[in-house]
Amino acid sequence: MKWKKQRESRKIQMKALEDERKNLAKIGWKSMGKVERDQLYKKINFDWDNMHKFIRDRIPSKEEYVAFELENYCVEKIKKTQKK
């Protein structure tokens, strides 16, 4: 029975971390200007086009890849600014 409580506790922790990450991504997205957003889209599309075929086959869709990369960039940007 202890493992059930641990599993539920871990689910709650993961949900909290996911919510925090989404909030950081929203803040990062709002802090970016239009030019920076356009440059980021171009970079992500370029990365997608130059990615090996066997890697692309493992990713469900281009839209999910773009969304994931945007979120990662925004979170990293906010973390860098918070460290300073």
Side-chain angles (χ1 to χ4, degrees):
M1 290 307 229
K2 187 176 180 180
W3 62 271
K4 287 183 181 180
K5 290 180 183 177
Q6 288 176 344
R7 182 177 62 186
E8 291 300 319
S9 172
R10 186 66 184 150
K11 281 183 182 180
I12 292 169
Q13 289 174 348
M14 292 301 292
K15 177 75 171 139
L17 289 172
E18 184 179 327
D19 291 343
E20 178 184 351
R21 183 174 171 81
K22 286 184 180 184
N23 289 336
L24 287 175
K26 287 178 187 176
I27 293 169
W29 180 255
K30 290 178 183 176
S31 69
M32 290 174 21
K34 182 171 176 52
V35 174
E36 188 177 3
R37 289 179 189 173
D38 290 340
Q39 289 174 348
L40 182 59
Y41 274 119
K42 287 178 185 176
K43 180 188 178 305
I44 292 172
N45 284 326
F46 181 77
D47 291 345
W48 175 264
D49 293 338
N50 291 329
M51 193 180 298
H52 290 287
K53 177 105 170 90
F54 69 91
I55 296 173
R56 262 194 262 164
D57 292 341
R58 294 178 184 207
I59 300 172
S61 69
K62 183 177 180 179
E63 292 79 23
E64 289 181 23
Y65 173 75
V66 169
F68 180 74
E69 288 296 322
L70 286 172
E71 183 177 326
N72 280 342
Y73 180 83
C74 292
V75 169
E76 290 300 319
K77 181 179 179 182
I78 290 298
K79 284 184 179 180
K80 284 180 185 176
T81 58
Q82 287 178 348
K83 285 183 182 179
K84 292 181 180 180

